[in-house]
Amino acid sequence: ILELSGIGDPEVLLKAGIDVQLSLPGVGTNVQEHLYTGVTYRKYSRLSPSILDPTKRHMSLVLALNNPFSRGSIHIRSNDFRMQPVIDPRIFEQPYDLITMVELVKFARRIAHTEPLAGLLSGTEVYPGPQVETDEQIAEWLKDTISTTYHTVGSCSMLPLEDDGVVDAKLKVYGTTNIRVVDIGIIPLHVGGHTQGTLGALRSILRSRMSCIPCWMQLWHIV
Ligand SMILES: Cc1cc2nc3c(=O)[nH]c(=O)nc-3n(C[C@H](O)[C@H](O)[C@H](O)COP(=O)(O)OP(=O)(O)OC[C@H]3O[C@@H](n4cnc5c(N)ncnc54)[C@H](O)[C@@H]3O)c2cc1C
C-alpha cells in the first residue's frame, strides 16, 4: 500500500510507474521468516496408548530457525494494485542459516537415538531418511524442502531512519504526519514465537496511545 501510494525506494517506484511522493528506501526490505522442517520416525506399535496415540504410526521432531540472518524483500511490480507483489525471501542467502539448520537436523537425530525417546521409536527414520547422511546431503535436502511458518515480518521495520527504518517508535511512517503501520511488518528483528501474540500487543499499544482521540478519527489514522 505504501509503495502504491508513492512511498518507498524511488528506484522501485519509478520502475513500477509510480510518482515518488516520499523517498523511503527501507520500504519492502529487511524481510524475515521463520524457517521450518522436521525429521520423521516410525513408532513402535506395541506402545501403550497412554504414551503415544496408537493409531498414529509416525512421529516427527519439528525444527525451526526463528532468527535467520538472511533478509528478503517484498516490492510492487506494477502500478496496478491487482498485480501480486514480487516476494524474494532469499532463504539461506547467509550461510549461517543453512549451517544452523543442518546442526538442528543432526541434533534432532541425536535426541531420537537417546532415551527415553529412543525406546518409543523403532529407529527407522522415514524422512528425510538414511540416504541423507553427510552435512552436504542434509544441506541439499534442506534447500529442496525447507518450509516457512507464514510468519513474514520486517518489510516496514521500526528502526532509525538511517538504518532503513520505515516507522518510528509511535508506528508513524517517517516523513508523514498521520500514516501509521500496525501489522507485523514493523517487527525489525524476528520474534521467537507465534506472531499473533506480538500483533495483539501492537494493537493494545496503538489503542492506549490513541485513547484520547475520538474513534472515527482513529480509523483515519490507522488507514
Ligand atoms: C496458514 C497460516 C497459518 C498461520 N498460523 C499461525 C499460528 O498458528 N499462530 C500465529 O501466531 N500466527 C499464525 N500465522 C501468522 C499470522 O496469521 C500472521 O502473522 C498475522 O495474520 C499477521 O497479521 P498482519 O495484521 O500483520 O497481516 P494480515 O493478517 O495478513 O493482514 C493484512 C491485511 O491487509 C489486507 N491487504 C493486503 N493488501 C492490501 C491492499 N493493497 N489494500 C487493502 N488491503 C490489503 C489483507 O487482505 C489482510 O486483511 C499463520 C499464517 C498463515 C498464512
Side-chain angles (χ1 to χ4, degrees), residues 38-103:
V39 182
T40 304
Y41 291 89
R42 192 162 293 143
K43 290 179 351 194
Y44 282 125
S45 52
R46 59 175 165 72
L47 289 175
S48 147
S50 62
I51 300 176
L52 289 173
D53 182 347
T55 63
K56 305 256 168 57
R57 298 186 49 208
H58 297 92
M59 179 177 167
S60 296
L61 299 181
V62 173
L63 319 166
L65 177 61
N66 282 344
N67 290 106
F69 279 17
S70 303
R71 295 290 183 269
S73 64
I74 302 176
H75 290 300
I76 52 166
R77 68 174 84 205
S78 151
N79 57 9
D80 181 350
F81 71 92
R82 289 164 299 195
M83 293 279 285
Q84 294 292 332
V86 179
I87 302 174
D88 182 1
R90 299 201 193 107
I91 289 171
F92 294 142
E93 190 176 69
Q94 292 294 324
Y96 160 86
D97 298 343
L98 189 55
I99 292 167
T100 308
M101 288 300 288
V102 169
E103 291 305 317

Side-chain angles (χ1 to χ4, degrees), residues 1 4 81 149-152 182-185 194-197 199 203:
I1 294 174
L4 285 169
F81 71 92
T149 47
Y150 312 103
H151 289 172
T152 315
V182 191
D183 64 30
I184 60 167
H194 284 244
T195 40
Q196 289 284 9
L199 190 61
R203 288 180 183 141

Side-chain angles (χ1 to χ4, degrees), residues 171 200-212 218:
L171 309 172
L202 264 179
R203 288 180 183 141
S204 299
I205 292 169
L206 187 76
R207 260 200 307 273
S208 65
R209 290 215 170 125
M210 291 187 143
S211 54
C212 54
Q218 290 182 25

